[in-house]
Amino acid sequence: MNTPLSWIKAYVPDLDVTAQEYTDAMTLSGTKVEGYVCLDKNLEKIVVGQIEKIERHPDADKLVVCQVNVGNEVIQIVTGAPNVKEGQKVPVVLDGGRVAGGHDGGPLPEDGIKIKKGKLRGVESFGMMCSIEELGSSREMYPDAPESGIYILPENTEVGSDAVEALGLHDVNVEYEITSNRVDCYSVIGIAREAAMTFKKEFHPPVVKKTGNNEDVNDYVSVEVKDTDLCPRYCARVVKNIKLAPSPEWMQRRLAACGIRPINNIVDITNYVMEEYGQPMHAFDLDTIAGKKIIVKRAAAGEEFQTLDGQMRKLDSSILMINDGEKAVGIAGIMGGENSKITDDVKTMMFEAACFDGTNIRLSAKKLGLRTDASGKFEKGLDPNNASEAIDRACQLIEELGAGEVVGGMIDIYPEVRQSKRVPFDAAKINKLLGTEIPEADMLDIFKKLELSYDAEKKEVVAPTFRQDLERLADLAEEVARFYGYDNIPTSLPTGEATTGKLSYKLRIEAVAREIAEFCGFSQGMTYSFESPKVFDKLMLSADSPLRKTVVISNPLGEDFSIMRTISLNGMLTSLATNYNRRNKNVRLYELGNIYLPKQVPLTELPEERMQFTLGMYGEGDFFTMKGVVEEFLEKVGIREKVFYNPAAGKEFLHPGRQAAIEYKGKVLGYLGEVHPQVRDNYDIGERAYIAVLDMPEILPYTTFDRKYSGIAKYPSVTRDISMVMPKTILVGQIEDIIEKKAGKILESYSLFDIYEGNQIKEGCKSVAYSITFRAPDRTLEDKDVTEAMNKILKALGELGVELRA
């Protein structure tokens, strides 16, 4: 939002501050100023001169020698400007003066350019006549300036007077950062209201007078709003006998300062009111409106429409359109149509000032790739009560500028009038919140100046509809703080009771996962939750895999980021591949990140988000190294009972003989294994890689940080080693289950210390050796106790097909 300071001063006439004072005070009161530009920067000793005589330069074909009256004297200036004529009044910088830049319109030097008297091809010159670019401005702000040459001032300009003032350059262009909840400040009137409060000055908004002849606007046009949910208010007025002409200089300057190029009086008035009131307007040539009827309704799916910029736009049924009796004539709140634009032949015109649904305008503009000044304001959610005053202001300017004859009356479709909000007021609570002792009367005085009324009986502040940001007591407290002065609020210590802060239980478990992974040499990685559907083919997932049912992103950055991931492996394998191809050795990575599982497709509710603890590595280490990391983590979070590793995990992306599902108490906690060779090739990983994935929500119910202390054993232990021969199909997990079940209460621990396959073992078998430790907590074990336990173990092993190795 940009405004010239002179426009603000038009409504706060007593405002007499420097640009820096204005910037500091406005920012402190809540209307943040991003920066400002002084339009008269580096302009010194520049006066109005009149060319009295022009002679050819004696030694240069493209130069002329001018005698210029600058008020108190006539000076000689040599120039090459092609447009100089005797009698013209021009800006002249005197000897020792300064201009903003060069005539080429390039970047302005920081300190400007100093002008000194000198000689041009042997002829003395005592100053310089200026182009608009040399004065630091442009043809956009001064459309009457020549494309090349000096700027010609109006004939009634006083010779010798300040040329900078005559050009209106003693001004400051201010840029604001307006928050989206302060829609009223997207207008000059809103900014001026804030400035008046900030500097404690009187606010004088424009006085809108009644306009219109004795005719009835309903005799010229009718309006029907079919989709009132997207258009809560629609106002229309008619102007006839249009006289197109350039708008006055003051209006052109104000529009140009806001970044809007002046066009003609009609277009400029609509843009002027849009900036002044923050209410976008549009003008239609009424003679092009079929049936003299306006219909506001949604577009038909697939409909095409040509906008004012000459582009064909493809529409859908969510886009609101302005139609006449036969066709669409404008995209509501965004841009009018080529078929109803104002041309030089316009005779009768219809003004539109409406309020449209902000969310719909934003979505429509994004779909069409068409964002305009109007849509930028509408998408914030405008006050519908502002529309009628804005259109009346436009009609008033029409009459004042002699641009046409306003037809009496206004069409106003406003089925549900927006009412003022009532906010409970409690001065004591506001003081407690702010840490102040501001009297209630002072607070109410601030509210009154902000145009907020007070219902003393109900103790409620009534906020006008243009203050959509005021909803609760805290909002009122903010208004008090802003204008009482943040710098006037005393410093105080916060009050309250001390509380013990700590991580939630879930986050504590995740912290343990990070600790264990990093202790085991893994580095943390972070990968995108957005993925490509091609990932499932790279992972060799079957066509009917439930993991292929994904949440599809409606506005993706591209196909590679078009779905939400349902499996965490792609990011991990991509990271491993990147490290491998950069020749990093012995890489170990881990990630804690969500996957997104839709409950049904298409979506009817938010997907289930499940945190996955993913480990990946290549280089030193193997399947059992990864299994050790998993067991370390599970033990650390309190899962101390037997975890079963089921080789029938059924993961297509893992090696069929080197994978396992991690099971606990009948629940699958995750899986681990070696990456399938084909999948490795798909990711360009040139050596064996291993991964483990733990589903944290599944693990969480079994975790605990409770630990029970057990003292040092008082009685000695007894150890037995057992070496067995068994078919390769028997898993060591089955052996360990038998040891745990049959050894009884005296079992303290067991450990696998040897696995052998070779010539000394019959084909199809393997040798496995365990060391088993027994201990009783209350006595010294006798040989018969251990022998009885071992016999039970051996008997159960024999039933499984296991033989003792000789």
Side-chain angles (χ1 to χ4, degrees), residues 598-620:
K599 298 174 183 176
Q600 63 182 50
V601 178
L603 288 180
T604 57
E605 55 183 314
L606 291 175
E608 180 185 7
E609 299 182 26
R610 298 187 72 86
M611 176 65 69
Q612 306 291 288
F613 179 27
T614 307
L615 300 149
M617 70 178 192
Y618 67 79
E620 291 183 1

Side-chain angles (χ1 to χ4, degrees), residues 103-273:
H103 67 277
D104 58 356
L108 301 180
E110 183 63 28
D111 297 323
I113 299 173
K114 192 169 185 178
I115 303 301
K116 298 179 181 180
K117 66 180 180 180
K119 290 184 178 181
L120 288 176
R121 299 293 291 269
V123 178
E124 286 188 312
S125 182
F126 296 90
M128 184 181 78
M129 293 179 282
C130 304
S131 68
I132 200 66
E133 288 79 15
E134 287 163 334
L135 295 172
S137 192
S138 66
R139 295 183 68 241
E140 288 188 357
M141 191 163 182
Y142 293 84
D144 56 333
E147 190 169 345
S148 60
I150 61 173
Y151 184 78
I152 311 302
L153 293 165
E155 293 182 3
N156 61 353
T157 312
E158 182 183 352
V159 175
S161 62
D162 184 354
V164 177
E165 183 176 354
L167 287 165
L169 289 174
H170 285 313
D171 201 356
V172 179
N173 200 10
V174 185
E175 180 185 358
Y176 307 88
E177 180 186 328
I178 307 298
T179 54
S180 57
N181 67 325
R182 288 303 305 272
V183 182
D184 57 304
C185 287
Y186 283 92
S187 66
V188 176
I189 289 177
I191 297 290
R193 185 185 290 110
E194 291 287 306
M197 275 296 298
T198 299
F199 294 99
K200 297 179 172 57
K201 304 293 183 181
E202 289 293 325
F203 173 52
H204 299 277
V207 178
V208 180
K209 300 176 182 178
K210 183 178 180 181
T211 56
N213 58 23
N214 294 326
E215 296 179 279
D216 185 357
V217 67
N218 294 287
D219 296 334
Y220 283 80
V221 68
S222 63
V223 176
E224 179 185 2
V225 179
K226 291 189 175 181
D227 292 303
T228 53
D229 58 324
L230 300 184
C231 178
R233 189 176 193 184
Y234 191 98
C235 299
R237 295 197 69 175
V238 171
V239 179
K240 65 179 187 177
N241 300 326
I242 300 296
K243 299 180 182 67
L244 289 182
S247 53
E249 186 177 301
W250 61 267
M251 182 176 285
Q252 292 187 32
R253 299 284 186 272
R254 288 180 177 180
L255 289 176
C258 295
I260 299 174
R261 182 172 62 90
I263 297 175
N264 59 48
N265 50 4
I266 299 300
V267 176
D268 291 356
I269 285 171
T270 62
N271 287 331
Y272 184 86
V273 174

Side-chain angles (χ1 to χ4, degrees), residues 441-514:
D442 291 355
M443 295 185 189
L444 294 177
D445 185 55
I446 290 173
F447 297 153
K448 182 179 179 181
K449 291 178 179 177
L450 285 170
E451 301 180 31
L452 313 179
S453 59
Y454 179 59
D455 186 337
E457 184 179 342
K458 295 184 178 180
K459 289 190 173 296
E460 292 177 333
V461 171
V462 183
T465 53
F466 66 78
R467 288 303 303 271
Q468 300 179 29
D469 59 309
L470 301 180
E471 296 184 347
R472 53 187 65 86
L473 185 70
D475 298 326
L476 297 181
E478 181 184 9
E479 298 304 296
V480 171
R482 288 200 301 135
F483 297 111
Y484 175 73
Y486 290 118
D487 52 336
N488 294 324
I489 297 177
T491 302
S492 60
L493 292 173
T495 59
E497 297 178 357
T499 57
T500 302
K502 64 178 181 180
L503 294 175
S504 66
Y505 188 80
K506 172 179 175 291
L507 293 179
R508 289 172 66 194
I509 297 297
E510 291 175 12
V512 171
R514 292 188 184 91

Side-chain angles (χ1 to χ4, degrees), residues 57-60 63-65 77-80 118-125 127:
H57 193 287
D59 197 28
L63 297 178
V64 292
V65 181
I77 298 176
V78 179
T79 181
K119 290 184 178 181
L120 288 176
R121 299 293 291 269
V123 178
E124 286 188 312
S125 182

